[in-house]
Amino acid sequence: MSNPEQLFADFEAKLADAQRKANQMRTEIESVSVSERSKDGQISVRVNHAGNLVGLEIGPSVRDNPALAQEILRVVQSAQSKLAGAMQTGVPSIAGTETMNELVNQLHNEYPEPEPTGFVEGGHREADEDDRFVAEEELDATPPPAPKPPAPPAPPAPPRAARRQQTDHEDDYFTGGDFLR
């Protein structure tokens, strides 16, 4: 049988080691930040380990730009999307563990890659016949027949039969409707 004091001392040593590792991991995580610049270099942002904006520098040539806010948000989103990689390199104490994998997956889900710049969303108009792709064989064919007129509306449903009255001796379990009748 083991000495109870030795078991207690071993337990305290393991607990102290776990506390030390947790403090080291917390310090490493809190030291992670990502900086990002806009393509023209006039906007610079820094986000902390939680993805919060902690630094913003705006060059004088873009301060009057009407799209300044959108560009700042795009640069912030770009910086946030790089947090997962920064965690992998900046927190070596949990590298390769399930904890690191879960942390990286959470960051990827929370901060996805930004939309590519220069992307222009399609117009919002109704499609017409000219927008349709047509094979060359179809171009030579005769035009399709005119669409048929809509069918007349269906006749109304016949009225439902009246419910039968419940008597006092019947079970009032299903008074809201005929469940098994």
Side-chain angles (χ1 to χ4, degrees), residues 46-180:
R46 195 175 83 225
V47 295
N48 67 4
H49 67 283
N52 298 322
L53 181 65
V54 293
L56 172 64
E57 295 178 16
I58 302 172
S61 65
V62 294
R63 290 187 182 173
D64 295 331
N65 184 352
L68 178 61
Q70 287 292 61
E71 182 64 15
I72 291 171
L73 291 175
R74 190 198 65 72
V75 176
V76 168
Q77 187 178 14
S78 178
Q80 288 171 334
S81 71
K82 295 177 182 178
L83 275 173
M87 282 291 180
Q88 288 177 319
T89 58
V91 186
S93 64
I94 58 171
T97 64
E98 188 174 334
T99 303
M100 176 59 82
N101 294 339
E102 191 61 35
L103 180 62
V104 167
N105 286 337
Q106 181 181 356
L107 287 169
H108 277 300
N109 290 337
E110 193 164 334
Y111 302 115
E113 289 286 325
E115 291 291 325
T117 57
F119 174 74
V120 178
E121 191 172 327
H124 297 288
R125 63 181 176 86
E126 290 187 28
D128 57 8
E129 189 64 28
D130 295 334
D131 292 340
R132 190 174 77 109
F133 175 77
V134 180
E136 289 183 28
E137 303 86 49
E138 258 185 79
L139 289 174
D140 298 332
T142 59
K148 296 179 182 178
R160 293 179 48 173
R163 288 191 179 172
R164 121 184 130 79
Q165 295 293 326
Q166 182 179 2
T167 60
D168 289 338
H169 69 281
E170 287 188 49
D171 189 23
D172 63 346
Y173 234 18
F174 303 105
T175 57
D178 296 337
F179 183 68
L180 297 174

